Structures are given as structure tokens and as C-alpha cells.
Amino acid sequence: MTFKPANHIQDLQYFGEFGGVNPSISDSSTYTFLSAKTMFDTFEGNADGCYLYTRHSSPSNLYLGEALAAMEGTETANVTASGMGAITAVLLQLCGNNDHIVSSRTIYGGTYAFLKNFTPRFNIKTSFVDITNLAAVEASITKNTKVLYCEAVSNPLLEVADIKSLAALAKKHNLKLVVDNTFSPLSISPAILGVDVVIHSLTKFINGSSDTVGGVVCGTQEFINDLRNVNTGAAMLLGATMDSLRAASILKNLRTLHIRMQQHSKNALYLAEKFQAIGLKTVYPGLSSHPSHQAYKNMMNEDYGFGGLLTVDAGSAEKANALMELMQHKNLGYLAVSLGFYKTLFSAPSSSTSSEIPVDEQKEMGLTDGLIRFSIGLDSDIERSFETMKACMMEVGIL
Ligand SMILES: *Cc1c(COP(=O)(O)O)cnc(C)c1O
């Protein structure tokens, strides 16, 4: 695969006022017009390059959106106040009364809760399926299905979607394929593989400093225009708009994403191999023992590795909790949800980020009580981190 997403970000050139090397931040919610006619035209979407009101668009948000579109290889993008702000707007834009969604059953807890508990209010129904079972995916498509939804690498089980095959299926049945690529930025380029709409929570790897929430929708100009339409656009009318100051700070962090992802992936692969070798039940897409290792390899942009997330099964909730508390005590990382930080973060999804999923469904999908999700940090001495983790595991009786 020859797509070079980091180059596309690097090659953008925006100057600020006064020749600044960073684009100026637009610190205004509303914009003046020299003529009333131009204001009217802007409202109607017929005055390119004019700004009206920041919920519609702002220069800072457009700069960030264009950089993310360049990264994903889509025509354009729309940034939002959070990842959920992107996901909810896209699904409500694409679906209405009586429509049906086929979704992977292993998805972010908030997305799961939205589809399970909230969208039924609009008479939108969702079937949750094993996304790695293409026959099951196809069998659950009905005449009302509008959207096929999944994560490129799923939270928290790290299942890998076969995006090319899903894109072919979506095309065959005239569905929109929507993929959340939060776990695998740069590593997987879903739009290049045939996906219609790519979503990220910018909160995680892309911003990388755990200081803000943010989201983005990457897609065609036509779809992004629909989302922003003043009369019918879900992004516009639901109002999850990113603040311009945040957009500017996320854009600056985005420029080092390629270096960070390489280090996250290198460290995660090192630990996954070591954990597996000492007999821990370890899941990481970069291990040949992962059921979708080859599928991931076939679609990845090789430079960025298999990502920073891995899971280890500690055997029970008690052992998982004891280990996480001890690891935090030894300053190996933080007992915290979220991911993509410079420090390693760990949590037990069953009782935290996936607690929206009922216990029996957790069991069915293989989400155990003792499962620990690690977001591996940027440690420059990962060998030392491993040795200390191993000592913690022995102390709590996992090894
Ligand atoms: C965190 C996360 C989200 C939600 O993003 P927010 O920025 O918290 O709204 C969605 N999908 C995945 C895979 C996530 O990890």
C-alpha cells in the first residue's frame, strides 16, 4: 500500500496573520459583513470563504478538519466537540424513522449505549453482530438497513474489521459503511479501503495529551455539507461544535502523531511479545496468535505498526484491580480510562468503559471480568517497564 498519510499532513501549508508559522486562531463567534447581500449568500451557503457564525464553521476548525481529511484521504472533514458528537451526528444524519443499522457488537461503550438505548426513541433499530463473521453481517441486513457500523480495531477486544470485504458488502446492499478509526490512526486508512465515512475521537491518540475531548467526521464534500446544512444538518442542529482554541491546539499535536504512533506501536509490540512469552493471555493485533493478524497486515500502512492497545486477562476482577493499583503505585502508568497518552493507561473495561454492555452480552462476546486494557505509553525504556510490570504480576499472584 502506498498511501502516506503523514506526508499529507506535513505537506499542508497554512500561514497565520503577520506571517506566523501557525495559522491564526479565530477568536470570534460571529463575523461582520460589508454588505447585507453577502450575509444572505453566506447563510445560503453560496459565499465561499466567508464566515458567519462559529457553530456553522470557523477558520480554526476548518484548518484542523482539512488536516484530518488529508490524513484519511477524504475530500473534507468536519470537527466536533467530542467523538460522541461526531458519532451521534453521523448516525442521526444517515438514519431516521424505521431505519436499521447493522453494528459490530464490540464497540465503544458510549456508541453501544446510543444505539441500544437512545436511537430506538427515533424508531431506529440496531442489530449487533460479530463483525469478523461476514456471513452473519450479511444475514442481518434487512430492506430497512441504511448503515453498516464498526470500529477498525474494536474497543476493548481489539477485533479487526476486514474493511475491504465490509466495503464490498456495503456497496452490494447500498449501505453507508461508517468506521470509527480511533484505535488505529495512520496505521489503517479506512477511506482508502472503501469506507464512506471515517470517524475519530480526537481525544485519544490524535490529540495525545489527555487535555481535551474532540471528534471528527471525514467524508465526501457532499456528506459534510449535509451535516452542516443550516436546515437539516445533524452537526449544525445538534450543536456539538469544537471551540477554535482547542482546534488550534489539536492541530499542533496532530503534527507529531506519526512519531508518537511509531513509539506507541513499538512499545506495545515489545510488551505483547514478552507478556505472551511468560504465559499471559495477551491480545494484540501485532501477535501472530491474533485471529486477524494477517487481515490487519494486509490493510495497514506498515510504518505505524499495530497500534498502542493491548489486553491481558488477569483471571479475575480482584487480581486485575490489585495489579492495576500496584502498577500505578510503581509509577508504571495510571489507572484511568481513555488512551493515547504519553503515560501508559490501564483500566478494566468490564466495570468501566464497557459497563454499558449488560453482563450476559459481555460474556457472549468474550469480555471477561479480569480483562485489563492497556494503552501503552511512550516510555523510552520499555525493557525497564516490562521488568517492573512482571515483578508486579508476581507480587499479586498472576504469574
Ligand atoms: C473514546 C472513544 C469514543 C468517544 O469519544 P469521546 O471523545 O470521548 O466522545 C468513540 N469511539 C472510541 C473507539 C473511543 O475510544
Side-chain angles (χ1 to χ4, degrees):
M1 189 161 174
T2 55
F3 188 63
K4 299 275 186 191
N7 290 358
H8 292 245
I9 300 170
Q10 176 97 37
D11 290 348
L12 292 168
Q13 192 183 53
Y14 300 128
F15 297 109
E17 253 183 311
F18 315 112
V21 296
N22 290 304
S24 304
I25 299 173
S26 175
D27 195 23
S28 295
S29 59
T30 188
Y31 295 81
T32 61
F33 289 86
L34 289 176
S35 83
K37 162 107 175 52
T38 322
M39 179 184 276
F40 175 76
D41 289 344
T42 305
F43 220 94
E44 298 283 296
N46 297 327
D48 264 4
C50 287
Y51 296 94
L52 178 78
Y53 185 63
T54 288
R55 181 157 43 75
H56 302 190
S57 71
S58 73
S60 301
N61 288 10
L62 290 189
Y63 288 133
L64 176 60
E66 290 316 306
L68 290 161
M71 177 179 86
E72 287 297 359
T74 58
E75 285 175 15
T76 188
N78 186 62
V79 297
T80 53
S82 69
M84 286 307 295
I87 292 164
T88 54
V90 165
L91 294 174
L92 291 177
Q93 190 69 39
L94 293 174
C95 298
N97 186 30
N98 239 351
D99 288 338
H100 176 248
I101 297 171
V102 175
S103 170
S104 166
R105 63 185 185 182
T106 64
I107 50 175
Y108 178 69
T111 311
Y112 178 86
F114 180 69
L115 291 174
K116 176 109 179 166
N117 307 325
F118 200 92
T119 50
R121 293 187 189 185
F122 301 98
N123 201 24
I124 299 166
K125 297 194 182 69
T126 301
S127 301
F128 295 97
V129 298
D130 175 355
I131 202 70
T132 62
N133 181 344
L134 289 171
V137 173
E138 185 160 29
S140 56
I141 295 170
T142 73
K143 65 180 193 336
N144 294 336
T145 309
K146 291 284 172 355
V147 168
L148 187 50
Y149 184 91
C150 68
E151 295 170 3
V153 178
S154 81
N155 179 35
L157 295 177
L158 310 180
E159 288 176 349
V160 177
D162 174 356
I163 292 179
K164 274 189 183 162
S165 303
L166 291 169
L169 207 56
K171 199 161 191 187
K172 177 175 163 197
H173 293 273
N174 200 23
L175 314 176
K176 292 282 184 225
L177 176 57
V178 179
V179 171
D180 179 339
N181 198 27
T182 301
F183 275 29
S184 40
L186 296 176
S187 178
I188 296 177
S189 298
I192 303 297
L193 300 166
V195 166
D196 299 293
V197 180
V198 183
I199 293 174
H200 284 276
S201 166
L202 303 178
T203 314
K204 316 296 169 51
F205 289 105
I206 290 179
N207 183 56
S209 51
S210 293
D211 55 1
T212 186
V213 291
V216 69
V217 181
C218 303
T220 60
Q221 188 71 55
E222 186 187 5
F223 182 64
I224 300 299
N225 287 349
D226 286 349
L227 278 175
R228 288 190 187 137
N229 186 292
V230 288
N231 294 306
T232 55
M236 178 72 58
L237 299 173
L238 297 171
T241 307
M242 178 175 281
D243 182 74
S244 292
L245 273 74
R246 276 304 181 191
S249 77
I250 296 170
L251 177 63
K252 285 176 273 188
N253 287 351
L254 175 64
R255 296 168 183 159
T256 57
L257 179 66
H258 59 300
I259 299 168
R260 290 186 280 114
M261 286 315 298
Q262 288 173 19
Q263 186 73 4
H264 284 300
S265 291
K266 181 171 154 244
N267 284 351
L269 179 62
Y270 179 88
L271 288 179
E273 283 174 344
K274 289 285 186 185
F275 287 161
Q276 184 169 261
I278 59 176
L280 293 167
K281 225 169 125 190
T282 310
V283 174
Y284 182 65
L287 293 175
S288 55
S289 59
H290 189 290
S292 300
H293 175 65
Q294 197 55 46
Y296 197 125
K297 262 184 123 164
N298 292 344
M299 62 181 170
M300 75 192 296
N301 300 314
E302 261 176 37
D303 292 350
Y304 307 104
F306 297 89
L309 273 295
L310 62 86
T311 67
V312 167
D313 197 332
S316 69
E318 293 68 35
K319 281 187 175 165
N321 292 343
L323 177 62
M324 291 190 294
E325 286 168 13
L326 184 60
M327 286 193 299
Q328 175 161 263
H329 180 69
K330 299 281 185 196
N331 200 13
L332 282 163
Y334 298 138
L335 172 47
V337 299
S338 200
L339 44 127
F341 198 39
Y342 82 106
K343 282 261 193 187
T344 294
L345 302 178
F346 32 79
S347 56
S350 156
S351 57
S352 61
T353 50
S354 295
S355 58
E356 293 93 339
I357 304 172
V359 174
D360 52 324
E361 287 175 43
Q362 289 192 18
K363 272 221 176 75
E364 199 190 313
M365 63 178 72
L367 177 48
T368 53
D369 288 352
L371 195 79
I372 303 177
R373 183 186 79 183
F374 288 79
S375 165
I376 304 302
L378 301 174
D379 313 22
S380 68
D381 188 351
I382 196 67
E383 296 81 3
R384 181 187 68 164
S385 304
F386 169 69
E387 290 304 331
T388 317
M389 283 178 184
K390 189 172 147 193
C392 291
M393 288 164 176
M394 290 170 86
E395 193 170 329
V396 301
I398 292 167
L399 286 176

